[in-house]
Amino acid sequence: IIHSSAHSFYFIKYKILSNCISRPVIMRLLTHNFLQSNAKGTENGYPLQIEVERLEVEDPPSEVNRELLLRLLPKLNYNALLKAAEQITPHESSLPPLPPQLPSIEKSDEWDDALVTNLHKILFDVHLIDGTLICPGTGRKFPVKDSIPNMLLHADEI
């Protein structure tokens, strides 16, 4: 029951945040970058692998917010983002390429607009609608339905 109420709290918080930005609840690759498996016995629960059933890319793309993007980048695991982009590319050929490494954030004023636009598109405009997130350590599958990842653990996984 505790886990159920905690899940309800986060679901409601997620819905409120989504309504504040006037969009439906969607799972972006930005969200994926922060998710991990905490099932009992998991030593390597990050990054979760992505199996795509349905993916959507915003068209037209959302407005690029360079300042927001640059504030978020230090908090992201860029290698996990590259892996996620690689896993979804077979399902969406229009995704822009990303460099193997990012230039220094301290020199972000030197970043070209193409790089910023590509990062923004991958993080904010790609939405996993239906699919599965898979723990790399245990193979545990977490379903994503209507853009909501179900990360609830079974009683024996706590």
Side-chain angles (χ1 to χ4, degrees), residues 44-75:
N44 180 25
Y46 182 85
L48 298 171
Q49 299 165 354
I50 302 173
E51 281 185 0
V52 176
E53 290 178 27
R54 189 164 65 114
L55 188 73
E56 290 182 7
V57 179
E58 286 189 35
D59 187 29
S62 61
E63 183 178 340
V64 174
N65 185 332
R66 184 183 184 101
E67 183 180 338
L68 173 65
L69 180 71
L70 294 173
R71 283 187 185 170
L72 282 172
L73 285 176
K75 297 168 179 60

mmCIF file of all heavy atoms in Angstrom, residues 44-75:
data_model
loop_
_atom_site.group_PDB
_atom_site.id
_atom_site.type_symbol
_atom_site.label_atom_id
_atom_site.label_comp_id
_atom_site.label_asym_id
_atom_site.label_seq_id
_atom_site.Cartn_x
_atom_site.Cartn_y
_atom_site.Cartn_z
ATOM 1 N N ASN A 44 23.548 -3.295 -11.179
ATOM 2 C CA ASN A 44 23.718 -2.409 -12.322
ATOM 3 C C ASN A 44 22.347 -2.137 -12.935
ATOM 4 O O ASN A 44 21.973 -2.780 -13.899
ATOM 5 C CB ASN A 44 24.667 -3.044 -13.354
ATOM 6 C CG ASN A 44 24.878 -2.163 -14.558
ATOM 7 O OD1 ASN A 44 24.734 -0.949 -14.481
ATOM 8 N ND2 ASN A 44 25.207 -2.770 -15.675
ATOM 9 N N GLY A 45 21.605 -1.189 -12.362
ATOM 10 C CA GLY A 45 20.254 -0.895 -12.839
ATOM 11 C C GLY A 45 20.162 0.326 -13.732
ATOM 12 O O GLY A 45 19.087 0.884 -13.930
ATOM 13 N N TYR A 46 21.305 0.755 -14.279
ATOM 14 C CA TYR A 46 21.323 1.983 -15.073
ATOM 15 C C TYR A 46 22.397 1.878 -16.142
ATOM 16 O O TYR A 46 23.466 1.351 -15.868
ATOM 17 C CB TYR A 46 21.627 3.180 -14.166
ATOM 18 C CG TYR A 46 21.630 4.498 -14.870
ATOM 19 C CD1 TYR A 46 20.441 5.194 -15.074
ATOM 20 C CD2 TYR A 46 22.809 5.044 -15.350
ATOM 21 C CE1 TYR A 46 20.442 6.415 -15.738
ATOM 22 C CE2 TYR A 46 22.814 6.263 -16.014
ATOM 23 C CZ TYR A 46 21.632 6.937 -16.198
ATOM 24 O OH TYR A 46 21.623 8.139 -16.850
ATOM 25 N N PRO A 47 22.130 2.397 -17.315
ATOM 26 C CA PRO A 47 20.884 2.947 -17.840
ATOM 27 C C PRO A 47 19.954 1.832 -18.318
ATOM 28 O O PRO A 47 20.406 0.774 -18.750
ATOM 29 C CB PRO A 47 21.343 3.810 -19.014
ATOM 30 C CG PRO A 47 22.581 3.128 -19.518
ATOM 31 C CD PRO A 47 23.232 2.534 -18.293
ATOM 32 N N LEU A 48 18.677 2.100 -18.216
ATOM 33 C CA LEU A 48 17.687 1.133 -18.682
ATOM 34 C C LEU A 48 17.716 1.076 -20.212
ATOM 35 O O LEU A 48 17.821 2.103 -20.877
ATOM 36 C CB LEU A 48 16.294 1.527 -18.208
ATOM 37 C CG LEU A 48 16.104 1.559 -16.687
ATOM 38 C CD1 LEU A 48 14.762 2.167 -16.333
ATOM 39 C CD2 LEU A 48 16.239 0.176 -16.088
ATOM 40 N N GLN A 49 17.637 -0.137 -20.740
ATOM 41 C CA GLN A 49 17.555 -0.311 -22.186
ATOM 42 C C GLN A 49 16.128 -0.001 -22.622
ATOM 43 O O GLN A 49 15.186 -0.146 -21.845
ATOM 44 C CB GLN A 49 17.938 -1.733 -22.575
ATOM 45 C CG GLN A 49 19.350 -2.094 -22.175
ATOM 46 C CD GLN A 49 19.603 -3.587 -22.234
ATOM 47 O OE1 GLN A 49 18.712 -4.382 -22.465
ATOM 48 N NE2 GLN A 49 20.845 -3.971 -22.006
ATOM 49 N N ILE A 50 15.968 0.389 -23.874
ATOM 50 C CA ILE A 50 14.646 0.759 -24.387
ATOM 51 C C ILE A 50 14.246 -0.196 -25.504
ATOM 52 O O ILE A 50 14.994 -0.402 -26.456
ATOM 53 C CB ILE A 50 14.641 2.191 -24.945
ATOM 54 C CG1 ILE A 50 15.058 3.187 -23.876
ATOM 55 C CG2 ILE A 50 13.268 2.538 -25.519
ATOM 56 C CD1 ILE A 50 15.243 4.605 -24.385
ATOM 57 N N GLU A 51 13.072 -0.790 -25.355
ATOM 58 C CA GLU A 51 12.429 -1.532 -26.447
ATOM 59 C C GLU A 51 11.224 -0.700 -26.863
ATOM 60 O O GLU A 51 10.347 -0.430 -26.048
ATOM 61 C CB GLU A 51 11.964 -2.916 -25.996
ATOM 62 C CG GLU A 51 13.057 -3.933 -25.933
ATOM 63 C CD GLU A 51 12.532 -5.325 -25.591
ATOM 64 O OE1 GLU A 51 11.301 -5.511 -25.401
ATOM 65 O OE2 GLU A 51 13.372 -6.230 -25.495
ATOM 66 N N VAL A 52 11.190 -0.293 -28.106
ATOM 67 C CA VAL A 52 10.150 0.602 -28.599
ATOM 68 C C VAL A 52 9.014 -0.189 -29.244
ATOM 69 O O VAL A 52 9.254 -1.044 -30.082
ATOM 70 C CB VAL A 52 10.740 1.593 -29.634
ATOM 71 C CG1 VAL A 52 9.645 2.470 -30.221
ATOM 72 C CG2 VAL A 52 11.834 2.433 -29.008
ATOM 73 N N GLU A 53 7.798 0.123 -28.831
ATOM 74 C CA GLU A 53 6.611 -0.333 -29.549
ATOM 75 C C GLU A 53 6.042 0.837 -30.345
ATOM 76 O O GLU A 53 5.677 0.681 -31.495
ATOM 77 C CB GLU A 53 5.561 -0.880 -28.579
ATOM 78 C CG GLU A 53 5.948 -2.193 -27.946
ATOM 79 C CD GLU A 53 4.904 -2.665 -26.948
ATOM 80 O OE1 GLU A 53 3.708 -2.322 -27.087
ATOM 81 O OE2 GLU A 53 5.312 -3.376 -26.005
ATOM 82 N N ARG A 54 5.960 1.988 -29.678
ATOM 83 C CA ARG A 54 5.458 3.193 -30.353
ATOM 84 C C ARG A 54 6.232 4.403 -29.850
ATOM 85 O O ARG A 54 6.399 4.595 -28.652
ATOM 86 C CB ARG A 54 3.966 3.375 -30.096
ATOM 87 C CG ARG A 54 3.351 4.487 -30.944
ATOM 88 C CD ARG A 54 1.840 4.395 -30.977
ATOM 89 N NE ARG A 54 1.256 4.614 -29.679
ATOM 90 C CZ ARG A 54 0.490 5.657 -29.366
ATOM 91 N NH1 ARG A 54 0.195 6.567 -30.272
ATOM 92 N NH2 ARG A 54 -0.021 5.771 -28.166
ATOM 93 N N LEU A 55 6.690 5.184 -30.805
ATOM 94 C CA LEU A 55 7.509 6.348 -30.535
ATOM 95 C C LEU A 55 6.925 7.514 -31.317
ATOM 96 O O LEU A 55 6.433 7.334 -32.424
ATOM 97 C CB LEU A 55 8.938 6.053 -31.028
ATOM 98 C CG LEU A 55 10.047 7.019 -30.705
ATOM 99 C CD1 LEU A 55 10.422 6.911 -29.225
ATOM 100 C CD2 LEU A 55 11.265 6.693 -31.559
ATOM 101 N N GLU A 56 6.964 8.698 -30.736
ATOM 102 C CA GLU A 56 6.522 9.890 -31.448
ATOM 103 C C GLU A 56 7.588 10.964 -31.330
ATOM 104 O O GLU A 56 8.255 11.084 -30.314
ATOM 105 C CB GLU A 56 5.200 10.416 -30.873
ATOM 106 C CG GLU A 56 4.023 9.522 -31.174
ATOM 107 C CD GLU A 56 2.699 10.069 -30.650
ATOM 108 O OE1 GLU A 56 2.658 11.222 -30.155
ATOM 109 O OE2 GLU A 56 1.715 9.327 -30.715
ATOM 110 N N VAL A 57 7.723 11.713 -32.417
ATOM 111 C CA VAL A 57 8.635 12.848 -32.443
ATOM 112 C C VAL A 57 7.802 14.073 -32.764
ATOM 113 O O VAL A 57 7.012 14.057 -33.720
ATOM 114 C CB VAL A 57 9.742 12.654 -33.500
ATOM 115 C CG1 VAL A 57 10.660 13.868 -33.534
ATOM 116 C CG2 VAL A 57 10.541 11.392 -33.210
ATOM 117 N N GLU A 58 7.933 15.107 -31.940
ATOM 118 C CA GLU A 58 7.136 16.315 -32.148
ATOM 119 C C GLU A 58 7.428 16.932 -33.507
ATOM 120 O O GLU A 58 8.579 17.096 -33.895
ATOM 121 C CB GLU A 58 7.418 17.347 -31.051
ATOM 122 C CG GLU A 58 6.792 16.976 -29.734
ATOM 123 C CD GLU A 58 6.881 18.085 -28.713
ATOM 124 O OE1 GLU A 58 6.796 19.277 -29.082
ATOM 125 O OE2 GLU A 58 7.021 17.750 -27.529
ATOM 126 N N ASP A 59 6.357 17.246 -34.201
ATOM 127 C CA ASP A 59 6.474 17.909 -35.496
ATOM 128 C C ASP A 59 5.336 18.904 -35.602
ATOM 129 O O ASP A 59 4.179 18.489 -35.633
ATOM 130 C CB ASP A 59 6.423 16.890 -36.624
ATOM 131 C CG ASP A 59 6.712 17.520 -37.977
ATOM 132 O OD1 ASP A 59 7.458 18.529 -38.007
ATOM 133 O OD2 ASP A 59 6.190 17.015 -38.983
ATOM 134 N N PRO A 60 5.581 20.177 -35.585
ATOM 135 C CA PRO A 60 6.898 20.808 -35.622
ATOM 136 C C PRO A 60 7.601 20.644 -34.276
ATOM 137 O O PRO A 60 6.959 20.452 -33.242
ATOM 138 C CB PRO A 60 6.593 22.272 -35.909
ATOM 139 C CG PRO A 60 5.220 22.482 -35.371
ATOM 140 C CD PRO A 60 4.507 21.177 -35.536
ATOM 141 N N PRO A 61 8.934 20.738 -34.295
ATOM 142 C CA PRO A 61 9.692 20.593 -33.043
ATOM 143 C C PRO A 61 9.379 21.716 -32.064
ATOM 144 O O PRO A 61 8.963 22.800 -32.459
ATOM 145 C CB PRO A 61 11.156 20.652 -33.490
ATOM 146 C CG PRO A 61 11.153 21.081 -34.899
ATOM 147 C CD PRO A 61 9.774 20.974 -35.446
ATOM 148 N N SER A 62 9.589 21.432 -30.788
ATOM 149 C CA SER A 62 9.373 22.462 -29.771
ATOM 150 C C SER A 62 10.455 23.536 -29.903
ATOM 151 O O SER A 62 11.513 23.316 -30.494
ATOM 152 C CB SER A 62 9.402 21.843 -28.373
ATOM 153 O OG SER A 62 10.654 21.251 -28.121
ATOM 154 N N GLU A 63 10.159 24.681 -29.327
ATOM 155 C CA GLU A 63 11.101 25.802 -29.392
ATOM 156 C C GLU A 63 12.354 25.473 -28.580
ATOM 157 O O GLU A 63 12.275 25.020 -27.446
ATOM 158 C CB GLU A 63 10.446 27.063 -28.828
ATOM 159 C CG GLU A 63 11.309 28.284 -28.914
ATOM 160 C CD GLU A 63 10.612 29.532 -28.381
ATOM 161 O OE1 GLU A 63 9.367 29.537 -28.301
ATOM 162 O OE2 GLU A 63 11.325 30.478 -28.041
ATOM 163 N N VAL A 64 13.500 25.692 -29.171
ATOM 164 C CA VAL A 64 14.770 25.401 -28.512
ATOM 165 C C VAL A 64 15.031 26.440 -27.424
ATOM 166 O O VAL A 64 14.955 27.636 -27.676
ATOM 167 C CB VAL A 64 15.933 25.393 -29.532
ATOM 168 C CG1 VAL A 64 17.270 25.227 -28.822
ATOM 169 C CG2 VAL A 64 15.719 24.308 -30.567
ATOM 170 N N ASN A 65 15.322 25.949 -26.229
ATOM 171 C CA ASN A 65 15.656 26.814 -25.106
ATOM 172 C C ASN A 65 17.111 26.518 -24.724
ATOM 173 O O ASN A 65 17.390 25.612 -23.944
ATOM 174 C CB ASN A 65 14.708 26.550 -23.940
ATOM 175 C CG ASN A 65 14.934 27.503 -22.796
ATOM 176 O OD1 ASN A 65 16.028 28.016 -22.587
ATOM 177 N ND2 ASN A 65 13.878 27.737 -22.026
ATOM 178 N N ARG A 66 18.016 27.264 -25.311
ATOM 179 C CA ARG A 66 19.455 27.042 -25.125
ATOM 180 C C ARG A 66 19.854 27.106 -23.653
ATOM 181 O O ARG A 66 20.612 26.264 -23.164
ATOM 182 C CB ARG A 66 20.229 28.070 -25.959
ATOM 183 C CG ARG A 66 21.718 27.893 -25.933
ATOM 184 C CD ARG A 66 22.416 29.003 -26.736
ATOM 185 N NE ARG A 66 23.823 28.778 -26.795
ATOM 186 C CZ ARG A 66 24.469 28.257 -27.831
ATOM 187 N NH1 ARG A 66 23.811 27.931 -28.917
ATOM 188 N NH2 ARG A 66 25.763 28.068 -27.797
ATOM 189 N N GLU A 67 19.358 28.104 -22.939
ATOM 190 C CA GLU A 67 19.722 28.286 -21.535
ATOM 191 C C GLU A 67 19.288 27.088 -20.687
ATOM 192 O O GLU A 67 20.059 26.570 -19.878
ATOM 193 C CB GLU A 67 19.106 29.573 -20.992
ATOM 194 C CG GLU A 67 19.505 29.873 -19.574
ATOM 195 C CD GLU A 67 18.881 31.162 -19.055
ATOM 196 O OE1 GLU A 67 18.494 32.031 -19.859
ATOM 197 O OE2 GLU A 67 18.791 31.285 -17.825
ATOM 198 N N LEU A 68 18.048 26.627 -20.871
ATOM 199 C CA LEU A 68 17.552 25.461 -20.134
ATOM 200 C C LEU A 68 18.400 24.236 -20.453
ATOM 201 O O LEU A 68 18.812 23.495 -19.554
ATOM 202 C CB LEU A 68 16.090 25.189 -20.478
ATOM 203 C CG LEU A 68 15.504 23.899 -19.909
ATOM 204 C CD1 LEU A 68 15.457 23.953 -18.391
ATOM 205 C CD2 LEU A 68 14.124 23.648 -20.488
ATOM 206 N N LEU A 69 18.663 24.021 -21.722
ATOM 207 C CA LEU A 69 19.454 22.870 -22.140
ATOM 208 C C LEU A 69 20.835 22.884 -21.487
ATOM 209 O O LEU A 69 21.288 21.867 -20.947
ATOM 210 C CB LEU A 69 19.586 22.852 -23.662
ATOM 211 C CG LEU A 69 20.396 21.693 -24.219
ATOM 212 C CD1 LEU A 69 19.627 20.397 -24.075
ATOM 213 C CD2 LEU A 69 20.729 21.950 -25.667
ATOM 214 N N LEU A 70 21.491 24.008 -21.498
ATOM 215 C CA LEU A 70 22.831 24.096 -20.933
ATOM 216 C C LEU A 70 22.841 23.922 -19.414
ATOM 217 O O LEU A 70 23.814 23.438 -18.841
ATOM 218 C CB LEU A 70 23.494 25.416 -21.333
ATOM 219 C CG LEU A 70 23.780 25.542 -22.837
ATOM 220 C CD1 LEU A 70 24.283 26.941 -23.169
ATOM 221 C CD2 LEU A 70 24.750 24.485 -23.307
ATOM 222 N N ARG A 71 21.743 24.288 -18.766
ATOM 223 C CA ARG A 71 21.632 24.055 -17.320
ATOM 224 C C ARG A 71 21.416 22.578 -17.006
ATOM 225 O O ARG A 71 21.845 22.091 -15.958
ATOM 226 C CB ARG A 71 20.478 24.863 -16.730
ATOM 227 C CG ARG A 71 20.789 26.315 -16.557
ATOM 228 C CD ARG A 71 19.662 26.989 -15.827
ATOM 229 N NE ARG A 71 19.873 28.412 -15.733
ATOM 230 C CZ ARG A 71 18.954 29.252 -15.318
ATOM 231 N NH1 ARG A 71 17.764 28.817 -14.956
ATOM 232 N NH2 ARG A 71 19.217 30.532 -15.258
ATOM 233 N N LEU A 72 20.723 21.878 -17.889
ATOM 234 C CA LEU A 72 20.434 20.461 -17.663
ATOM 235 C C LEU A 72 21.619 19.547 -17.955
ATOM 236 O O LEU A 72 21.778 18.512 -17.309
ATOM 237 C CB LEU A 72 19.264 20.015 -18.549
ATOM 238 C CG LEU A 72 17.883 20.399 -18.101
ATOM 239 C CD1 LEU A 72 16.865 20.049 -19.169
ATOM 240 C CD2 LEU A 72 17.540 19.704 -16.800
ATOM 241 N N LEU A 73 22.420 19.895 -18.925
ATOM 242 C CA LEU A 73 23.482 18.993 -19.377
ATOM 243 C C LEU A 73 24.414 18.481 -18.275
ATOM 244 O O LEU A 73 24.748 17.298 -18.273
ATOM 245 C CB LEU A 73 24.285 19.639 -20.506
ATOM 246 C CG LEU A 73 23.567 19.649 -21.849
ATOM 247 C CD1 LEU A 73 24.384 20.394 -22.887
ATOM 248 C CD2 LEU A 73 23.259 18.242 -22.326
ATOM 249 N N PRO A 74 24.837 19.298 -17.318
ATOM 250 C CA PRO A 74 25.711 18.753 -16.268
ATOM 251 C C PRO A 74 25.030 17.685 -15.408
ATOM 252 O O PRO A 74 25.703 16.878 -14.777
ATOM 253 C CB PRO A 74 26.070 19.980 -15.416
ATOM 254 C CG PRO A 74 25.844 21.150 -16.301
ATOM 255 C CD PRO A 74 24.720 20.761 -17.209
ATOM 256 N N LYS A 75 23.710 17.666 -15.384
ATOM 257 C CA LYS A 75 22.969 16.702 -14.576
ATOM 258 C C LYS A 75 22.723 15.393 -15.319
ATOM 259 O O LYS A 75 22.288 14.409 -14.733
ATOM 260 C CB LYS A 75 21.641 17.310 -14.137
ATOM 261 C CG LYS A 75 21.815 18.521 -13.235
ATOM 262 C CD LYS A 75 20.504 19.254 -13.058
ATOM 263 C CE LYS A 75 20.601 20.442 -12.156
ATOM 264 N NZ LYS A 75 21.494 21.480 -12.539
#
